[in-house]
Amino acid sequence: MAPTRPTWNAPVTAREPLPASAVERAFARDGLFAGEIRDYAPRDVQVRMATAVERALADARPLVVEAGTGTGKTLAYLVPVLQAGVRTIVSTGTRNLQNQLFTKDLPLARRALGVNTRVALLKGRRNYLCPYRLELNLEADSFETRQQARDLQVIAEWSLATRSGDCGELHELAEDSAAWSLATSTTDNCLGRDCPRVDDCPVLRARREAAEADLVVVNHHLLFADAVLRGDGFGEILPEADAFVLDEAHQVPETAADFFGESVTARQLNELASDTLAEALRDAADDRDLRQLSEAVERGVADLRLALGTQVRREAWEAVAESGLLQRSVDVLRSTLSQLGEALELAAPRGRGLASCSERAESLRARLDTVLGDCDESGIRWFETWTRSFAVHVTPASTAEPFRELMERRGGTWIFTSATLAVGDDFSLFAGELGIDTEDCETLRLESPFDYEKQALLYIPRGMPDPGDADYTRAVCAACIPVLEASHGRAFILFTSHRALQVAADELRERIPFPMFVQGECGKATLLERFLASDNAVLLATGSYWEGVEVRGDAESCVIIDRLPFASPGEPVLRARLSRLRARGLDPFHVYQLPRAVISLKQGVGRLIRDAGDRGVLMVADPRLPARHYGAVFLDALPRMPRTRELDRVRDFFATEEVAP
């Protein structure tokens, strides 16, 4: 079941030393990649980006690069980094991008350059098996469902064969299986060096490999988890480095806000209760207080969930803060958690697991006081609820100061790149959110090398109602049906809300003759596989499908976007930030909401053309695009392509099978 361990650090054939113009030589028509990439052709924008990265490394100066689709940005930063021989951490937006970079791009770059740079892939601890917790929960034999019990047995069988302990190896089990939480660890429940299975720990093994590597590939969540640990003085995950490359950097401000804030979740509290029960069963079976107090914490969590209301929502804490029922529920949970902590402190000498639970109880009690205590203007307190769970957060109003402190603390050269960082040539929104002074760093905007004038067409239908109209989504469906008929399916329809997605799915299911796949029907990877396996499918999606999804060729020849992607003004963190901008005398729409929406739209549009041979139609249904004054800001930010409001021109475009010479 476990695959052969890849030899990423195997020696490669040495080449002659590269000349001073190393970057240009590497990417030349007859350069180092000519023999590695079929039908290789140099790209001017790729060389310009690589040269800028080379310069940033030499000058130890931050660099921010917007590299349009098709630039080849991954090799554009890997080549100068590998040539410079500096110790580097490359951070990507998702685990999928991590894997692609590590399994495809890095081996290609190492072969072409003939370098023996040692590389490592490092994921967050939840991506690795925890032998101790697997053993503990198998012994406890206490499962929420039969499926969870069956899944844990599957993990147990795989654990006997795996060498890396990377959970991504186990394809037979869904990523969201509840059993994974019983077989992996968190920062809270890890026993660290005191764990009886520390010598078998896949997390420590992966971190040792990373510590010995010259280039480590991580994701943004792990980068910030490391930053928080260092900032709190508790240790470190990542090695020291001379350079940091943050790919898909448009995601960084939001990820930073998550990690620089504070949260307490129902899951964390319930996991403490269940782990206490399991550890007590192992080392303190005679301690009735631990069982009773653990069950009391679980009841307190359930009561607090009910006190937050029956609906699923995201709200500012002020919306419920005056509720007497809520205050009583909070007080009871605090008291019960304190009592459990006291009981665990007494039981701690009986087992390392109980000692760990004692530390967790104290930490959770302190964090609960933080998120429910006084909050100054630097923090935004809010909560979110699901069917049976909740989370309470304090999010920083600005990530600029903590991120700037992170850069100063880690030192080295910082390079940020993505296909969407600027509005026109203006990087001020992105730079400001991270505390980057544009006067002290280089910014570079590179347009896509694809020929959008010949490969694409922008269609804005006539007669659409205002997006606030109750029947707007049905009108979008009516407008997109003739476009889907012209494209013979082969389309992504991207929505700005899950509610609109569901309305459209119900509306289109019986009205289009093409296979239709809807986000949520199955996992993302499976959904994309099924879409690609069909010749004429239509995929309806929102959220994560706006970015990081790459479909080349004829399988996707149309992207339809239901409306301009302005964030919901009712979202609690956004609402608080807009209020703070108004208090400073600024126009929040033009300085924040509009730029963020433009960047989001560019992400969605980026799904259309992924290769020099692709061609397709982009349909944006929102009537505000041609009608409102700010529509020009969106249009100017998009790749230059022909525009039309006539459906016949869309039909003519698809009737022409090949791009004109």
Side-chain angles (χ1 to χ4, degrees):
M1 195 175 291
T4 303
R5 191 169 180 77
T7 54
W8 306 118
N9 294 307
V12 297
T13 305
R15 299 179 184 269
E16 292 297 316
L18 294 167
S21 56
V23 163
E24 293 171 335
R25 281 280 301 128
F27 290 111
R29 186 172 297 278
D30 59 349
L32 301 179
F33 286 99
E36 299 289 344
I37 300 176
R38 184 177 180 181
D39 299 326
Y40 175 75
R43 307 174 197 177
D44 175 66
V45 286
Q46 188 175 44
V47 175
R48 287 175 60 195
M49 177 173 170
T51 302
V53 173
E54 183 181 48
R55 187 165 55 246
L57 293 170
D59 297 341
R61 188 182 182 207
L63 170 67
V64 180
V65 183
E66 177 175 284
T69 306
T71 298
K73 61 183 170 64
T74 306
L75 290 178
Y77 62 70
L78 284 179
V79 167
V81 161
L82 292 172
Q83 287 173 343
V86 294
R87 199 170 200 195
T88 304
I89 290 173
V90 178
S91 181
T92 69
T94 64
R95 285 174 295 179
N96 287 339
L97 290 172
Q98 258 189 291
N99 290 332
Q100 177 180 319
L101 195 155
F102 192 71
T103 60
K104 296 181 180 179
D105 301 317
L106 256 176
L108 170 62
R110 290 178 72 244
R111 287 197 310 271
L113 298 177
V115 295
N116 288 314
T117 305
R118 291 190 60 82
V119 299
L121 176 67
L122 186 60
K123 302 177 182 179
R125 65 168 61 250
R126 276 196 177 273
N127 295 280
Y128 298 99
L129 175 73
C130 175
Y132 174 77
R133 285 185 55 75
L134 173 62
E135 180 182 292
L136 176 72
N137 286 299
L138 285 171
E139 288 179 3
D141 194 26
S142 176
F143 305 106
E144 295 179 2
T145 64
R146 291 181 179 178
Q147 185 62 50
Q148 188 183 51
R150 287 193 292 267
D151 286 355
L152 198 65
Q153 285 297 329
V154 173
I155 296 173
E157 292 174 13
W158 164 73
S159 72
L160 301 175
T162 181
R163 295 173 62 189
S164 71
D166 186 334
C167 300
E169 292 177 0
L170 187 53
H171 301 296
E172 292 88 340
L173 205 62
E175 290 182 8
D176 59 354
S177 169
W180 282 122
S181 66
L182 305 179
T184 58
S185 67
T186 66
T187 303
D188 287 335
N189 61 33
C190 175
L191 303 186
R193 297 289 178 181
D194 294 324
C195 178
R197 299 293 301 274
V198 67
D199 292 336
D200 305 322
C201 179
V203 173
L204 289 183
R205 187 161 56 242
R207 290 182 181 178
R208 281 194 295 267
E209 292 178 3
E212 296 169 359
D214 301 305
L215 187 150
V216 184
V217 180
V218 303
N219 60 47
H220 299 335
H221 286 82
L222 189 59
L223 178 70
F224 285 105
D226 176 78
V228 171
L229 283 176
R230 289 172 185 262
D232 289 345
F234 288 133
E236 59 189 53
I237 301 171
L238 305 179
E240 297 296 329
D242 303 305
F244 298 83
V245 180
L246 277 60
D247 201 345
E248 300 299 313
H250 64 280
Q251 299 177 6
V252 170
E254 185 174 346
T255 307
D258 290 341
F259 278 87
F260 290 143
E262 192 71 87
S263 300
V264 172
T265 70
R267 178 175 179 173
Q268 291 167 341
L269 293 162
N270 283 329
E271 282 185 349
L272 170 64
S274 62
D275 287 349
T276 297
L277 287 171
E279 296 290 358
L281 181 66
R282 169 176 285 196
D283 295 320
D286 59 334
D287 194 329
R288 295 180 61 186
D289 286 348
L290 289 179
R291 173 177 291 276
Q292 292 173 352
L293 288 168
S294 295
E295 292 172 348
V297 167
E298 291 177 335
R299 289 195 300 272
V301 170
D303 289 343
L304 180 53
R305 170 63 192 91
L306 289 174
L308 287 168
T310 56
Q311 66 269 48
V312 174
R313 58 176 174 164
R314 293 160 63 97
E315 289 277 1
W317 185 253
E318 289 77 11
V320 295
E322 300 303 319
S323 165
L325 175 61
L326 178 67
Q327 285 301 322
R328 288 192 295 273
S329 299
V330 168
D331 291 342
V332 169
L333 181 58
R334 275 176 163 159
S335 174
T336 307
L337 188 59
S338 294
Q339 292 175 56
L340 177 61
E342 292 169 1
L344 280 166
E345 187 176 4
L346 293 174
R350 303 181 69 174
R352 184 62 193 95
L354 289 169
S356 174
C357 287
S358 175
E359 295 165 5
R360 289 165 61 189
E362 173 59 26
S363 174
L364 276 170
R365 189 197 60 75
R367 281 154 56 190
L368 197 61
D369 287 345
T370 298
V371 298
L372 297 179
D374 294 333
C375 184
D376 61 27
E377 291 188 358
S378 66
I380 301 166
R381 183 185 292 109
W382 59 286
F383 72 96
E384 52 189 331
T385 58
W386 300 274
T387 305
R388 293 192 296 177
S389 187
F390 66 84
V392 184
H393 311 273
V394 174
T395 299
S398 170
T399 56
E401 184 175 345
F403 190 83
R404 185 169 55 246
E405 291 175 355
L406 167 62
M407 292 177 63
E408 293 171 353
R409 188 167 66 246
R410 292 301 305 250
T413 302
W414 289 73
I415 296 162
F416 306 86
T417 184
S418 169
T420 55
L421 293 178
V423 179
D425 292 318
D426 184 3
F427 289 86
S428 60
L429 176 65
F430 173 77
E433 288 186 302
L434 297 183
I436 301 169
D437 187 346
T438 54
E439 297 296 321
D440 294 333
C441 77
E442 181 179 356
T443 59
L444 178 64
R445 179 172 173 266
L446 301 169
E447 293 190 2
S448 169
F450 297 147
D451 190 349
Y452 280 84
E453 290 280 357
K454 295 180 178 178
Q455 292 178 249
L457 175 68
L458 170 60
Y459 171 54
I460 308 171
R462 298 183 187 276
M464 292 297 295
D466 185 271
D469 190 288
D471 290 325
Y472 178 75
T473 299
R474 291 183 176 84
V476 172
C477 293
C480 78
I481 287 174
V483 175
L484 295 174
E485 291 171 347
S487 67
H488 302 290
R490 304 182 299 159
F492 273 18
I493 308 181
L494 301 177
F495 297 89
T496 55
S497 73
H498 288 278
R499 182 177 179 279
L501 170 68
Q502 293 305 320
V503 170
D506 293 340
E507 186 78 10
L508 292 175
R509 202 174 299 277
E510 303 299 327
R511 297 185 63 184
I512 59 174
F514 312 109
M516 193 173 86
F517 301 106
V518 180
Q519 177 182 348
E521 292 178 340
C522 57
K524 184 175 181 179
T526 303
L527 199 68
L528 288 171
E529 286 174 8
R530 293 176 181 174
F531 175 83
L532 289 169
S534 175
D535 293 332
N536 59 346
V538 177
L539 188 149
L540 280 63
T542 184
S544 61
Y545 288 78
W546 280 67
E547 57 183 274
V549 176
E550 184 163 311
V551 178
R552 298 171 183 259
D554 294 338
E556 181 215 327
S557 297
C558 183
V559 169
I560 297 171
I561 294 175
D562 72 330
R563 67 181 75 200
L564 298 177
F566 288 104
S568 169
E571 201 279 328
V573 175
L574 175 62
R575 189 165 65 231
R577 286 177 175 165
L578 299 183
S579 177
R580 284 165 168 78
L581 288 170
R582 290 190 196 94
R584 291 165 52 194
L586 298 174
D587 178 354
F589 179 79
H590 285 96
V591 303
Y592 194 79
Q593 291 171 282
L594 179 59
R596 284 178 67 94
V598 168
I599 290 172
S600 295
L601 181 65
K602 288 166 66 176
Q603 279 291 333
V605 171
R607 301 316 101 215
L608 182 64
I609 303 296
R610 306 300 302 180
D611 191 86
D614 289 354
R615 64 194 303 269
V617 167
L618 167 67
M619 170 178 156
V620 181
D622 198 321
R624 294 174 295 182
L625 188 58
R628 299 291 178 88
H629 68 279
Y630 55 76
V633 180
F634 285 98
L635 292 171
D636 289 346
L638 298 181
R640 299 183 184 279
M641 67 183 89
R643 305 170 187 168
T644 186
R645 306 204 67 184
E646 306 302 327
L647 183 59
D648 284 344
R649 192 167 174 192
V650 174
R651 295 186 174 117
D652 291 343
F653 181 92
F654 284 118
T656 305
E657 291 297 325
E658 297 182 358
V659 180

